[in-house]
Amino acid sequence: DIVMTQSPDSLAVSLGERATINCKSSQSVLYSSNNRNYLAWFQQKPGQPPKLLFYLASTRASGVPDRFSGSGSGTDFTLTISSLQPGDVAVYYCQQYYTTPLTFGGGTKVEIK
Amino acid sequence: QVQLQESGPGLVQPSETLSLTCTVSGGSINGYYWSWIRQPPGKGLDWVGYIYYTGSTHYNPSLNNRVTISVDTSKNQFSLTLTSVTAADTAVYYCARGGRSYGDYDYWGQGTLVTISS
């Protein structure tokens, strides 16, 4: 199985400041035939299902504000919130869908400092 | 707007079978991958398995052959069956749609808590 490791487990950021979440996979999720990384990011607020933020590592899902960005390739990926807003308080998960079983990172809790 | 709704018992006895159905509205089940993902209380997300609308499936091997996912395209529904359940299977169970592949879940149900207890 591909192990997804997120860091940090939690972070507190001031409103308007940058938040950066890292995700590392135990093996590459880059499909060489099409040069695409099969990595998704999700945001989960309390009592709600996860919401897709990015797929293919950096393609923003519909309706996601552009203060969110996804980057990385191979085994190392980053989710960045450029200017934290109150509504961004949530747990963020990365997930690989390069191969089965699909696996998620352990989650990163983002709070307001 | 596509909507997914899970339904099924909220309480299942240990060693019994958990059965859930996901009803898809506002769109067709045809052409997509459909998954079950679960989340134990206070913990992270675990992939259970997926089914393509044609009926082909993949399951998480960690579930030790206890899981079956089926699809009924005529009803726009897909279902989860998990046998020989234990307390470790207590979780919120979500159904979700793969938007372009089997893992980029663009639509989710609200989730249903299933508790395994006598």
Side-chain angles (χ1 to χ4, degrees):
Chain A
D1 298 6
I2 297 178
V3 177
M4 307 299 292
T5 303
Q6 287 183 232
S7 62
D9 292 336
S10 64
L11 75 161
V13 176
S14 299
L15 287 173
E17 296 300 306
R18 179 184 301 263
T20 301
I21 300 168
N22 300 301
C23 174
K24 188 174 184 67
S25 57
S26 61
Q27 63 188 77
S28 176
V29 299
L30 173 64
Y31 196 43
S32 57
S33 64
N34 60 11
N35 202 36
R36 293 184 173 185
N37 290 281
Y38 285 80
L39 187 286
W41 287 99
F42 297 91
Q43 173 195 64
Q44 188 178 31
K45 298 180 180 180
Q48 296 185 19
K51 172 188 174 183
L52 179 67
L53 296 178
F54 291 92
Y55 59 96
L56 298 176
S58 60
T59 302
R60 193 177 288 107
S62 176
V64 175
D66 60 7
R67 65 178 180 276
F68 290 90
S69 62
S71 62
S73 184
T75 61
D76 293 280
F77 300 89
T78 301
L79 175 69
T80 302
I81 309 172
S82 61
S83 175
L84 192 73
Q85 301 301 305
D88 300 335
V89 171
V91 179
Y92 294 83
Y93 294 94
C94 62
Q95 176 231 318
Q96 66 80 19
Y97 55 107
Y98 176 83
T99 189
T100 57
L102 280 64
T103 47
F104 292 87
T108 296
K109 187 174 185 179
V110 175
E111 300 173 306
I112 305 294
K113 185 186 290 183
Chain B
Q1 176 79 348
V2 175
Q3 292 185 313
L4 286 72
Q5 180 66 58
E6 304 90 351
S7 58
L11 180 65
V12 180
Q13 304 246 348
S15 80
E16 298 293 308
T17 297
L18 179 160
S19 295
L20 296 173
T21 295
C22 182
T23 301
V24 180
S25 58
S28 175
I29 208 164
N30 291 326
Y32 293 95
Y33 291 89
W34 303 91
S35 290
W36 289 96
I37 298 112
R38 67 182 187 178
Q39 186 170 35
K43 296 189 177 181
L45 300 163
D46 289 327
W47 176 72
V48 173
Y50 73 70
I51 189 165
Y52 194 42
Y53 76 102
T54 57
S56 64
T57 54
H58 271 268
Y59 304 130
N60 195 326
S62 69
L63 293 169
N64 299 321
N65 299 313
R66 297 189 293 128
V67 62
T68 302
I69 300 175
S70 58
V71 65
D72 187 337
T73 55
S74 68
K75 294 182 178 180
N76 239 30
Q77 293 178 333
F78 63 106
S79 299
L80 168 70
T81 300
L82 184 65
T83 62
S84 304
V85 296
T86 70
D89 295 310
T90 294
V92 175
Y93 285 76
Y94 295 102
C95 57
R97 186 185 86 166
R100 294 150 202 84
S101 175
Y102 50 72
D104 52 348
Y105 309 118
D106 57 354
Y107 289 98
W108 294 68
Q110 283 299 306
T112 187
L113 174 63
V114 180
T115 302
I116 310 302
S117 176
S118 55

